[in-house]
């Protein structure tokens, strides 16, 4: 389901993938616990990429809202989860000192945001739809438009980084990073659907992206034999 | 026909990519003014209990080249062996120690560095004590799914010898890949923990 470590079509994985098998470890307290972040850490514009770096006006590009829920494998919401995200601007240019793509920076777009899920596991943010982006893998490889996501559940074993793609983008099926995922249904789980019902008329399109974290139940702790 | 087991599948992982810092440590890549401080850079304050230590090292690929674009997160217990987490059912952890840290590897040297405390021992499922350890999670360009490992301490020989997790490693020659060597820098105990993703000295990673 997950991509294996060694996926030679994504060249960097060749030297950065372990050759020995992973050692399976039943989760201990070290993996069943995890950091929790309070709302006090967040500023009011942290989930608004249209405003959180704006200097002289709004960034250029397609205005969108991305929303969804963070769930466990039993479809129960994960409240209080920190979700972080980062992306390129409308032209596919990242604001990073090691980035050399010739498309220009947008002076009003930083590209980072974060949000904590509510009691129903819901999150949302407002941003500009990122552009496709060329990268040195094959001689003519391009990433589809994507937003990177980093999610903290309740346990460190749930820690996940992934990428969200956009419904209907033909480049998804040509990308060596997407194709590290062996199962087509797994790839489809990373494609956000255009949601006209949630679109803000005359303002922004909406995309829905639900995220599922590992785990179905809490362990049988000594003091909680019923589990849940 | 049997009933279906209606469970969701975990969202598949994807690489964090070379620009993970934009989201994880934006101030570090000069995206300033969006949020005040990068999360996880500071673990220890003046009121934190426990022995101050530095944990540092580099992450090497299969050619022996250090990664200059990796992001490392650590998760560890406090000096009493308690985790600062709502899932911790054994007692109240030190409120002045979050237990979680996040650092990029340096863009030039590839070195990472955490200023933290030495953790206490934590029980395994059956109640036996594990040796003091720090859980590591490594993501980077070229790593499709975050790699979990543990760092143990070279000056805890007795505890390491009886740790139920280390005992599960069949190939004993690989145990030393999880043990950081103790030294001293500026009067502070410093543990060096180099991580080898691939090759002869490949670090043990956990599933």
């Amino acid at each position: 389901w997950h991509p294996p470590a060694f996926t030679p079509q994504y060249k960097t994985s060749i030297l950065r993938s372990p050759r020995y098998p992973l050692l399976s470890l039943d989760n201990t307290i070290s993996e069943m616990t995890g950091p929790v972040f309070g709302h006090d850490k967040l500023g009011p514009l942290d989930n608004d990429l249209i405003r959180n770096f704006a200097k002289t006006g709004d960034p250029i590009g397609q205005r969108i809202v991305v929303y969804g829920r963070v769930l466990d494998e039993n479809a129960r919401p994960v409240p209080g989860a920190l979700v972080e995200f980062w992306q390129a601007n409308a032209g596919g240019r990242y604001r990073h000192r090691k980035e050399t793509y010739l498309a220009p920076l947008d002076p009003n777009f930083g590209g980072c945001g974060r949000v904590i899920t509510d009691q129903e596991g819901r999150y949302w943010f407002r941003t500009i739809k990122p552009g496709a982006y060329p990268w040195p893998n094959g001689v003519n490889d391009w990433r589809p438009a994507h937003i990177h996501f980093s999610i903290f559940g309740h346990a460190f074993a749930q820690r996940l980084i992934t990428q969200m793609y956009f419904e209907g983008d033909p480049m998804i099926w040509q990308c060596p990073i997407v194709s590290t995922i062996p199962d087509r249904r797994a790839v489809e789980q990373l494609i956000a659907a255009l949601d006209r019902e949630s679109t803000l008329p005359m303002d922004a399109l909406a995309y829905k992206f639900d995220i599922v974290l590992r785990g179905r139940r809490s362990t049988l702790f000594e003091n909680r034999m019923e589990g849940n | 026909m049997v009933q279906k087991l209606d469970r969701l599948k975990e969202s598949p992982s994807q690489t964090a990519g070379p620009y993970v810092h934009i989201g994880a440590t934006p101030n570090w890549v000069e995206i300033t003014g969006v949020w005040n401080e990068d999360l996880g850079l500071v673990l220890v304050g003046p009121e934190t209990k426990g022995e101050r230590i530095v944990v540092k090292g580099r992450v090497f690929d299969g050619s022996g080249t250090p990664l200059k674009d990796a992001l490392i997160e650590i998760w560890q217990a406090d000096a009493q062996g308690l985790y600062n987490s709502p899932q911790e059912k054994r007692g109240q952890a030190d409120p002045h120690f979050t237990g979680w840290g996040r650092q990029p590897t340096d863009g030039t040297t590839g070195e990472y560095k955490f200023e933290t405390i030495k953790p206490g021992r934590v029980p395994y499922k059956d109640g036996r004590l594990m040796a003091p350890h720090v859980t590591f999670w490594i993501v980077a360009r070229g790593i499709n799914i975050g790699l979990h490992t543990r760092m143990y301490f070279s000056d805890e020989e007795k505890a390491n010898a009886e740790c139920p997790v280390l005992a599960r490693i069949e190939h004993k020659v690989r145990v030393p890949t999880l043990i950081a060597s103790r030294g001293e820098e500026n009067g502070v105990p410093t543990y060096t923990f180099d991580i080898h993703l691939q090759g002869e000295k490949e670090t043990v990673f956990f599933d």
Side-chain angles (χ1 to χ4, degrees), chain A residues 1-2 4 7 10 14-17 19-20 23-24 26 30-31 73 84 97 114 159 162-163 165 189 212, chain B residues 8-15 28 30 35 62 73 83 102 125 133 141-142 144 150 168 198 202 205 207:
Chain A
W1 191 255
H2 282 292
T7 49
Y10 174 27
I14 294 174
L15 284 177
R16 294 186 173 194
S17 47
R19 288 294 179 270
Y20 284 94
L23 181 75
S24 289
D26 265 2
S30 306
E31 292 78 34
E73 288 169 306
E84 300 166 306
R97 55 176 169 247
R114 56 186 177 179
R159 195 75 183 82
T162 189
Q163 301 183 26
Y165 305 101
Q189 198 169 323
V212 182
Chain B
L8 302 180
K9 297 288 271 182
E10 188 184 2
S11 296
S13 173
Q14 291 268 263
T15 180
W28 191 75
E30 291 128 34
W35 49 77
E73 293 187 5
Y83 284 98
R102 174 150 81 182
K125 290 175 297 178
H133 63 275
R141 175 172 67 101
N144 290 326
R150 285 184 174 195
R168 297 231 15 226
Q198 187 191 97
E202 186 173 309
F205 297 104
D207 195 359

Short mmCIF file of all heavy atoms in Angstrom, two decimals, chain A residues 1-2 4 7 10 14-17 19-20 23-24 26 30-31 73 84 97 114 159 162-163 165 189 212, chain B residues 8-15 28 30 35 62 73 83 102 125 133 141-142 144 150 168 198 202 205 207:
data_model
loop_
_atom_site.label_atom_id
_atom_site.label_comp_id
_atom_site.label_asym_id
_atom_site.label_seq_id
_atom_site.Cartn_x
_atom_site.Cartn_y
_atom_site.Cartn_z
N TRP A 1 0.84 -1.21 0.00
CA TRP A 1 0.00 0.00 0.00
C TRP A 1 0.87 1.25 0.00
O TRP A 1 0.80 2.09 -0.89
CB TRP A 1 -0.92 -0.01 1.23
CG TRP A 1 -1.98 1.03 1.16
CD1 TRP A 1 -2.00 2.20 1.88
CD2 TRP A 1 -3.14 1.05 0.34
NE1 TRP A 1 -3.12 2.93 1.55
CE2 TRP A 1 -3.84 2.24 0.60
CE3 TRP A 1 -3.65 0.16 -0.60
CZ2 TRP A 1 -5.02 2.58 -0.03
CZ3 TRP A 1 -4.84 0.49 -1.24
CH2 TRP A 1 -5.50 1.68 -0.95
N HIS A 2 1.74 1.34 1.02
CA HIS A 2 2.71 2.44 1.03
C HIS A 2 3.76 2.20 -0.05
O HIS A 2 3.99 1.06 -0.45
CB HIS A 2 3.42 2.51 2.38
CG HIS A 2 2.59 3.15 3.45
ND1 HIS A 2 2.26 4.47 3.45
CD2 HIS A 2 2.04 2.62 4.57
CE1 HIS A 2 1.53 4.75 4.52
NE2 HIS A 2 1.38 3.64 5.21
N PRO A 4 7.30 1.31 -1.42
CA PRO A 4 8.50 0.70 -0.85
C PRO A 4 9.64 1.73 -0.83
O PRO A 4 9.54 2.78 -1.48
CB PRO A 4 8.81 -0.45 -1.81
CG PRO A 4 8.15 -0.08 -3.09
CD PRO A 4 6.97 0.78 -2.74
N THR A 7 12.70 2.54 -5.12
CA THR A 7 11.85 2.75 -6.29
C THR A 7 12.72 3.43 -7.35
O THR A 7 12.74 4.66 -7.44
CB THR A 7 10.65 3.66 -5.92
OG1 THR A 7 11.15 4.81 -5.20
CG2 THR A 7 9.65 2.93 -5.04
N TYR A 10 12.33 6.73 -9.30
CA TYR A 10 12.60 7.95 -8.53
C TYR A 10 14.04 7.84 -8.07
O TYR A 10 14.36 7.16 -7.10
CB TYR A 10 11.61 8.04 -7.37
CG TYR A 10 11.84 9.17 -6.39
CD1 TYR A 10 12.48 10.35 -6.77
CD2 TYR A 10 11.41 9.06 -5.07
CE1 TYR A 10 12.69 11.38 -5.87
CE2 TYR A 10 11.60 10.09 -4.17
CZ TYR A 10 12.25 11.24 -4.57
OH TYR A 10 12.45 12.25 -3.66
N ILE A 14 17.36 5.48 -4.79
CA ILE A 14 18.27 4.34 -4.98
C ILE A 14 19.31 4.31 -3.85
O ILE A 14 19.53 3.26 -3.24
CB ILE A 14 18.93 4.40 -6.37
CG1 ILE A 14 17.86 4.21 -7.46
CG2 ILE A 14 20.02 3.34 -6.49
CD1 ILE A 14 18.37 4.40 -8.88
N LEU A 15 19.93 5.43 -3.57
CA LEU A 15 20.98 5.46 -2.53
C LEU A 15 20.42 5.81 -1.15
O LEU A 15 21.17 5.81 -0.17
CB LEU A 15 22.07 6.46 -2.91
CG LEU A 15 23.06 6.02 -4.00
CD1 LEU A 15 24.04 7.13 -4.33
CD2 LEU A 15 23.82 4.77 -3.55
N ARG A 16 19.14 6.12 -1.07
CA ARG A 16 18.58 6.53 0.23
C ARG A 16 17.58 5.51 0.78
O ARG A 16 16.75 5.85 1.62
CB ARG A 16 17.95 7.92 0.10
CG ARG A 16 19.00 9.00 -0.21
CD ARG A 16 18.41 10.40 -0.20
NE ARG A 16 19.45 11.43 -0.33
CZ ARG A 16 19.26 12.71 -0.10
NH1 ARG A 16 18.08 13.14 0.28
NH2 ARG A 16 20.25 13.58 -0.25
N SER A 17 17.63 4.29 0.27
CA SER A 17 16.71 3.25 0.74
C SER A 17 17.49 2.16 1.45
O SER A 17 18.51 1.69 0.95
CB SER A 17 15.96 2.66 -0.46
OG SER A 17 16.87 2.37 -1.52
N ARG A 19 18.71 -1.45 2.64
CA ARG A 19 18.73 -2.74 1.95
C ARG A 19 18.30 -3.88 2.88
O ARG A 19 17.81 -4.90 2.43
CB ARG A 19 20.13 -3.03 1.42
CG ARG A 19 20.53 -2.19 0.24
CD ARG A 19 19.69 -2.49 -1.00
NE ARG A 19 20.08 -1.63 -2.11
CZ ARG A 19 19.53 -0.45 -2.35
NH1 ARG A 19 18.55 0.00 -1.60
NH2 ARG A 19 19.95 0.27 -3.37
N TYR A 20 18.52 -3.70 4.16
CA TYR A 20 18.06 -4.71 5.12
C TYR A 20 16.55 -4.54 5.32
O TYR A 20 16.02 -3.42 5.19
CB TYR A 20 18.73 -4.52 6.47
CG TYR A 20 20.17 -4.99 6.54
CD1 TYR A 20 21.22 -4.11 6.31
CD2 TYR A 20 20.47 -6.31 6.86
CE1 TYR A 20 22.54 -4.53 6.40
CE2 TYR A 20 21.79 -6.74 6.95
CZ TYR A 20 22.83 -5.85 6.72
OH TYR A 20 24.12 -6.27 6.80
N LEU A 23 12.92 -3.95 10.95
CA LEU A 23 12.69 -4.85 12.08
C LEU A 23 11.31 -4.55 12.65
O LEU A 23 11.03 -3.44 13.08
CB LEU A 23 13.76 -4.63 13.14
CG LEU A 23 13.63 -5.52 14.37
CD1 LEU A 23 14.09 -6.94 14.06
CD2 LEU A 23 14.44 -4.96 15.53
N SER A 24 10.43 -5.55 12.62
CA SER A 24 9.07 -5.33 13.12
C SER A 24 9.09 -5.26 14.65
O SER A 24 9.66 -6.12 15.31
CB SER A 24 8.15 -6.45 12.66
OG SER A 24 7.93 -6.32 11.28
N ASP A 26 6.50 -4.57 17.89
CA ASP A 26 5.18 -4.27 18.43
C ASP A 26 5.26 -2.94 19.15
O ASP A 26 6.20 -2.70 19.90
CB ASP A 26 4.77 -5.36 19.44
CG ASP A 26 3.92 -6.42 18.78
OD1 ASP A 26 3.69 -6.32 17.57
OD2 ASP A 26 3.51 -7.35 19.49
N SER A 30 6.74 3.98 23.82
CA SER A 30 7.51 4.97 23.05
C SER A 30 6.84 5.32 21.73
O SER A 30 6.96 6.44 21.24
CB SER A 30 8.92 4.44 22.76
OG SER A 30 9.55 4.05 23.95
N GLU A 31 6.14 4.35 21.13
CA GLU A 31 5.50 4.60 19.83
C GLU A 31 4.03 4.95 19.98
O GLU A 31 3.44 5.55 19.08
CB GLU A 31 5.62 3.36 18.93
CG GLU A 31 7.04 3.04 18.49
CD GLU A 31 7.87 2.37 19.56
OE1 GLU A 31 7.31 1.60 20.35
OE2 GLU A 31 9.08 2.64 19.64
N GLU A 73 -8.31 4.37 10.95
CA GLU A 73 -8.73 3.34 10.00
C GLU A 73 -10.14 2.83 10.25
O GLU A 73 -10.72 2.13 9.42
CB GLU A 73 -7.72 2.19 10.00
CG GLU A 73 -6.40 2.60 9.33
CD GLU A 73 -5.29 1.58 9.56
OE1 GLU A 73 -5.00 1.25 10.72
OE2 GLU A 73 -4.71 1.14 8.56
N GLU A 84 0.34 20.24 8.96
CA GLU A 84 1.17 21.29 8.35
C GLU A 84 1.20 21.04 6.85
O GLU A 84 1.11 19.90 6.40
CB GLU A 84 2.61 21.22 8.89
CG GLU A 84 2.70 21.41 10.40
CD GLU A 84 4.06 21.00 10.95
OE1 GLU A 84 4.48 19.85 10.70
OE2 GLU A 84 4.70 21.81 11.60
N ARG A 97 15.87 28.52 -0.45
CA ARG A 97 17.15 29.02 -0.95
C ARG A 97 17.85 28.05 -1.90
O ARG A 97 18.71 28.44 -2.67
CB ARG A 97 18.07 29.42 0.19
CG ARG A 97 18.31 28.34 1.21
CD ARG A 97 19.32 28.79 2.26
NE ARG A 97 19.34 27.84 3.36
CZ ARG A 97 18.92 28.12 4.59
NH1 ARG A 97 18.48 29.33 4.90
NH2 ARG A 97 18.96 27.21 5.54
N ARG A 114 -0.50 25.88 8.55
CA ARG A 114 -0.76 24.79 9.50
C ARG A 114 -2.08 25.03 10.19
O ARG A 114 -2.59 26.16 10.25
CB ARG A 114 0.36 24.69 10.55
CG ARG A 114 0.58 25.98 11.31
CD ARG A 114 1.78 25.88 12.23
NE ARG A 114 2.01 27.16 12.90
CZ ARG A 114 2.97 27.38 13.79
NH1 ARG A 114 3.81 26.42 14.11
NH2 ARG A 114 3.11 28.57 14.36
N ARG A 159 2.80 9.14 12.73
CA ARG A 159 3.43 10.27 12.02
C ARG A 159 3.43 9.99 10.51
O ARG A 159 3.84 8.92 10.07
CB ARG A 159 4.84 10.40 12.56
CG ARG A 159 5.53 11.69 12.24
CD ARG A 159 5.04 12.84 13.06
NE ARG A 159 5.74 14.05 12.61
CZ ARG A 159 5.39 14.76 11.54
NH1 ARG A 159 4.33 14.43 10.84
NH2 ARG A 159 6.09 15.81 11.17
N THR A 162 2.81 13.18 3.43
CA THR A 162 2.31 12.72 2.14
C THR A 162 2.12 13.93 1.22
O THR A 162 2.55 15.04 1.54
CB THR A 162 1.02 11.88 2.32
OG1 THR A 162 0.69 11.28 1.07
CG2 THR A 162 -0.13 12.71 2.84
N GLN A 163 1.52 13.70 0.07
CA GLN A 163 1.26 14.79 -0.87
C GLN A 163 -0.17 14.67 -1.39
O GLN A 163 -0.66 13.56 -1.59
CB GLN A 163 2.25 14.74 -2.06
CG GLN A 163 3.71 14.83 -1.61
CD GLN A 163 4.68 14.84 -2.76
OE1 GLN A 163 4.36 15.23 -3.89
NE2 GLN A 163 5.92 14.42 -2.49
N TYR A 165 -2.82 15.60 -4.44
CA TYR A 165 -2.89 15.96 -5.87
C TYR A 165 -4.31 16.43 -6.19
O TYR A 165 -5.22 16.30 -5.37
CB TYR A 165 -2.47 14.77 -6.72
CG TYR A 165 -1.10 14.25 -6.34
CD1 TYR A 165 -0.94 13.11 -5.53
CD2 TYR A 165 0.04 14.94 -6.72
CE1 TYR A 165 0.31 12.66 -5.16
CE2 TYR A 165 1.31 14.50 -6.35
CZ TYR A 165 1.44 13.37 -5.56
OH TYR A 165 2.68 12.94 -5.18
N GLN A 189 -6.35 7.70 -3.40
CA GLN A 189 -6.62 8.24 -2.07
C GLN A 189 -5.91 9.58 -1.82
O GLN A 189 -6.23 10.31 -0.88
CB GLN A 189 -6.21 7.21 -1.01
CG GLN A 189 -6.84 7.47 0.35
CD GLN A 189 -6.66 6.31 1.30
OE1 GLN A 189 -6.71 5.15 0.90
NE2 GLN A 189 -6.43 6.61 2.56
N VAL A 212 -6.21 9.57 6.28
CA VAL A 212 -6.39 8.45 7.19
C VAL A 212 -5.06 8.10 7.84
O VAL A 212 -4.06 7.87 7.13
CB VAL A 212 -6.96 7.21 6.46
CG1 VAL A 212 -7.18 6.07 7.44
CG2 VAL A 212 -8.25 7.56 5.74
N LEU B 8 -10.99 1.78 6.65
CA LEU B 8 -10.29 2.66 5.72
C LEU B 8 -8.84 2.23 5.62
O LEU B 8 -8.31 1.58 6.52
CB LEU B 8 -10.36 4.11 6.22
CG LEU B 8 -11.76 4.69 6.43
CD1 LEU B 8 -11.65 6.12 6.94
CD2 LEU B 8 -12.56 4.64 5.14
N LYS B 9 -8.24 2.59 4.52
CA LYS B 9 -6.81 2.35 4.35
C LYS B 9 -6.07 3.61 4.74
O LYS B 9 -6.50 4.73 4.44
CB LYS B 9 -6.51 2.00 2.90
CG LYS B 9 -7.17 0.72 2.42
CD LYS B 9 -6.55 -0.52 3.01
CE LYS B 9 -5.42 -1.01 2.14
NZ LYS B 9 -4.82 -2.26 2.69
N GLU B 10 -4.93 3.41 5.38
CA GLU B 10 -4.09 4.56 5.74
C GLU B 10 -3.70 5.33 4.48
O GLU B 10 -3.45 4.73 3.43
CB GLU B 10 -2.82 4.04 6.43
CG GLU B 10 -1.96 5.14 7.02
CD GLU B 10 -0.66 4.61 7.63
OE1 GLU B 10 -0.40 3.40 7.56
OE2 GLU B 10 0.11 5.44 8.15
N SER B 11 -3.68 6.64 4.57
CA SER B 11 -3.21 7.43 3.44
C SER B 11 -1.78 7.03 3.13
O SER B 11 -0.94 6.98 4.04
CB SER B 11 -3.25 8.93 3.78
OG SER B 11 -4.58 9.34 4.01
N PRO B 12 -1.47 6.73 1.86
CA PRO B 12 -0.10 6.31 1.56
C PRO B 12 0.89 7.46 1.75
O PRO B 12 0.56 8.63 1.53
CB PRO B 12 -0.17 5.86 0.10
CG PRO B 12 -1.40 6.47 -0.45
CD PRO B 12 -2.35 6.68 0.69
N SER B 13 2.08 7.11 2.15
CA SER B 13 3.14 8.08 2.36
C SER B 13 3.70 8.55 1.02
O SER B 13 3.63 7.84 0.02
CB SER B 13 4.24 7.43 3.19
OG SER B 13 5.36 8.29 3.28
N GLN B 14 4.25 9.74 1.00
CA GLN B 14 5.05 10.23 -0.12
C GLN B 14 6.26 10.93 0.47
O GLN B 14 6.25 11.37 1.62
CB GLN B 14 4.25 11.22 -0.98
CG GLN B 14 3.11 10.57 -1.76
CD GLN B 14 3.55 10.12 -3.15
OE1 GLN B 14 3.34 10.80 -4.14
NE2 GLN B 14 4.17 8.95 -3.22
N THR B 15 7.31 11.04 -0.35
CA THR B 15 8.52 11.71 0.13
C THR B 15 8.22 13.13 0.60
O THR B 15 7.33 13.80 0.08
CB THR B 15 9.59 11.75 -0.98
OG1 THR B 15 10.75 12.41 -0.45
CG2 THR B 15 9.11 12.49 -2.22
N TRP B 28 13.81 28.95 9.30
CA TRP B 28 15.15 28.45 8.99
C TRP B 28 15.48 28.67 7.52
O TRP B 28 16.63 28.79 7.15
CB TRP B 28 15.22 26.97 9.36
CG TRP B 28 16.59 26.39 9.33
CD1 TRP B 28 17.59 26.55 10.24
CD2 TRP B 28 17.11 25.51 8.31
NE1 TRP B 28 18.69 25.83 9.86
CE2 TRP B 28 18.43 25.19 8.69
CE3 TRP B 28 16.58 24.96 7.14
CZ2 TRP B 28 19.24 24.35 7.93
CZ3 TRP B 28 17.39 24.13 6.38
CH2 TRP B 28 18.71 23.83 6.77
N GLU B 30 14.29 31.27 5.89
CA GLU B 30 14.05 32.70 5.70
C GLU B 30 12.65 33.04 5.21
O GLU B 30 12.44 34.05 4.54
CB GLU B 30 15.12 33.30 4.75
CG GLU B 30 16.50 33.33 5.38
CD GLU B 30 17.56 32.67 4.50
OE1 GLU B 30 17.43 32.78 3.28
OE2 GLU B 30 18.48 32.04 5.04
N TRP B 35 5.07 32.40 11.01
CA TRP B 35 4.91 32.07 12.41
C TRP B 35 6.16 32.40 13.20
O TRP B 35 7.25 32.48 12.66
CB TRP B 35 4.37 30.69 12.70
CG TRP B 35 4.98 29.49 12.05
CD1 TRP B 35 6.15 28.90 12.38
CD2 TRP B 35 4.39 28.69 11.02
NE1 TRP B 35 6.33 27.78 11.61
CE2 TRP B 35 5.26 27.62 10.78
CE3 TRP B 35 3.20 28.77 10.30
CZ2 TRP B 35 4.99 26.64 9.84
CZ3 TRP B 35 2.94 27.79 9.36
CH2 TRP B 35 3.82 26.75 9.13
N GLY B 62 23.85 5.65 0.66
CA GLY B 62 24.58 4.43 0.35
C GLY B 62 25.95 4.65 -0.24
O GLY B 62 26.74 3.71 -0.35
N GLU B 73 13.16 14.20 13.35
CA GLU B 73 12.36 14.44 14.54
C GLU B 73 12.74 13.42 15.59
O GLU B 73 13.01 12.25 15.26
CB GLU B 73 10.86 14.34 14.23
CG GLU B 73 10.39 15.46 13.31
CD GLU B 73 8.87 15.47 13.13
OE1 GLU B 73 8.18 14.68 13.79
OE2 GLU B 73 8.40 16.29 12.33
N TYR B 83 6.37 10.07 29.27
CA TYR B 83 6.19 10.84 28.04
C TYR B 83 5.18 11.97 28.26
O TYR B 83 4.14 11.77 28.89
CB TYR B 83 5.70 9.93 26.91
CG TYR B 83 6.79 9.06 26.33
CD1 TYR B 83 6.95 7.74 26.73
CD2 TYR B 83 7.68 9.59 25.40
CE1 TYR B 83 7.96 6.96 26.19
CE2 TYR B 83 8.69 8.81 24.86
CZ TYR B 83 8.83 7.50 25.25
OH TYR B 83 9.82 6.73 24.73
N ARG B 102 12.63 18.81 16.57
CA ARG B 102 12.72 18.72 15.11
C ARG B 102 13.87 19.60 14.65
O ARG B 102 13.94 20.76 15.04
CB ARG B 102 11.39 19.20 14.52
CG ARG B 102 11.40 19.29 13.02
CD ARG B 102 10.02 19.03 12.45
NE ARG B 102 9.15 20.19 12.50
CZ ARG B 102 7.88 20.15 12.09
NH1 ARG B 102 7.35 19.04 11.65
NH2 ARG B 102 7.14 21.22 12.16
N LYS B 125 6.17 -3.81 26.94
CA LYS B 125 4.78 -4.25 27.14
C LYS B 125 4.62 -5.17 28.36
O LYS B 125 3.61 -5.12 29.06
CB LYS B 125 4.32 -5.04 25.91
CG LYS B 125 4.14 -4.20 24.69
CD LYS B 125 3.82 -5.07 23.50
CE LYS B 125 4.98 -6.01 23.21
NZ LYS B 125 4.72 -6.92 22.08
N HIS B 133 16.37 5.43 25.68
CA HIS B 133 16.47 5.56 24.22
C HIS B 133 15.73 6.80 23.75
O HIS B 133 14.86 7.32 24.45
CB HIS B 133 15.91 4.32 23.52
CG HIS B 133 14.44 4.11 23.78
ND1 HIS B 133 13.98 3.45 24.89
CD2 HIS B 133 13.33 4.50 23.08
CE1 HIS B 133 12.65 3.44 24.86
NE2 HIS B 133 12.24 4.07 23.78
N ARG B 141 14.13 14.08 0.83
CA ARG B 141 14.07 13.74 -0.59
C ARG B 141 14.62 12.32 -0.77
O ARG B 141 15.64 11.96 -0.18
CB ARG B 141 14.95 14.75 -1.34
CG ARG B 141 15.13 14.52 -2.80
CD ARG B 141 15.86 15.71 -3.42
NE ARG B 141 17.24 15.82 -2.95
CZ ARG B 141 18.31 15.42 -3.65
NH1 ARG B 141 18.17 14.90 -4.84
NH2 ARG B 141 19.52 15.56 -3.15
N GLY B 142 13.95 11.52 -1.56
CA GLY B 142 14.45 10.16 -1.82
C GLY B 142 14.01 9.13 -0.80
O GLY B 142 14.23 7.94 -1.01
N ASN B 144 10.83 7.52 0.68
CA ASN B 144 9.39 7.49 0.34
C ASN B 144 8.50 7.42 1.56
O ASN B 144 7.36 7.87 1.52
CB ASN B 144 9.11 6.30 -0.57
CG ASN B 144 9.69 6.48 -1.96
OD1 ASN B 144 9.74 7.60 -2.47
ND2 ASN B 144 10.16 5.40 -2.56
N ARG B 150 15.93 4.01 16.68
CA ARG B 150 16.12 4.41 18.06
C ARG B 150 17.59 4.64 18.31
O ARG B 150 18.43 3.92 17.77
CB ARG B 150 15.67 3.30 19.02
CG ARG B 150 14.19 3.16 19.14
CD ARG B 150 13.88 2.10 20.18
NE ARG B 150 12.45 2.02 20.43
CZ ARG B 150 11.92 1.40 21.48
NH1 ARG B 150 12.71 0.79 22.37
NH2 ARG B 150 10.61 1.37 21.65
N ARG B 168 15.67 -8.21 20.44
CA ARG B 168 14.94 -8.74 19.29
C ARG B 168 15.75 -8.70 18.01
O ARG B 168 15.35 -9.24 16.98
CB ARG B 168 13.66 -7.92 19.08
CG ARG B 168 12.71 -8.02 20.24
CD ARG B 168 11.31 -8.36 19.84
NE ARG B 168 11.23 -8.86 18.46
CZ ARG B 168 10.34 -8.45 17.59
NH1 ARG B 168 9.47 -7.56 17.92
NH2 ARG B 168 10.32 -8.96 16.37
N GLN B 198 22.01 3.01 4.22
CA GLN B 198 22.25 1.88 3.32
C GLN B 198 23.73 1.50 3.35
O GLN B 198 24.57 2.37 3.54
CB GLN B 198 21.87 2.35 1.90
CG GLN B 198 21.88 1.30 0.83
CD GLN B 198 21.74 1.95 -0.55
OE1 GLN B 198 22.72 2.17 -1.23
NE2 GLN B 198 20.52 2.29 -0.93
N GLU B 202 24.70 -0.06 7.73
CA GLU B 202 23.29 0.33 7.70
C GLU B 202 22.64 0.26 9.08
O GLU B 202 22.69 -0.75 9.78
CB GLU B 202 22.53 -0.56 6.72
CG GLU B 202 21.09 -0.14 6.51
CD GLU B 202 20.42 -0.94 5.39
OE1 GLU B 202 20.98 -1.04 4.29
OE2 GLU B 202 19.33 -1.47 5.64
N PHE B 205 16.37 -0.09 11.12
CA PHE B 205 15.14 0.70 11.10
C PHE B 205 13.97 -0.20 11.48
O PHE B 205 13.97 -1.39 11.18
CB PHE B 205 14.92 1.33 9.72
CG PHE B 205 15.99 2.30 9.35
CD1 PHE B 205 16.97 1.96 8.43
CD2 PHE B 205 16.05 3.55 9.94
CE1 PHE B 205 17.98 2.85 8.09
CE2 PHE B 205 17.05 4.45 9.62
CZ PHE B 205 18.02 4.10 8.69
N ASP B 207 9.75 -1.19 11.89
CA ASP B 207 8.45 -1.15 11.23
C ASP B 207 7.38 -0.92 12.29
O ASP B 207 7.43 -1.54 13.34
CB ASP B 207 8.24 -2.51 10.54
CG ASP B 207 7.11 -2.43 9.53
OD1 ASP B 207 6.49 -1.36 9.40
OD2 ASP B 207 6.85 -3.47 8.90
#
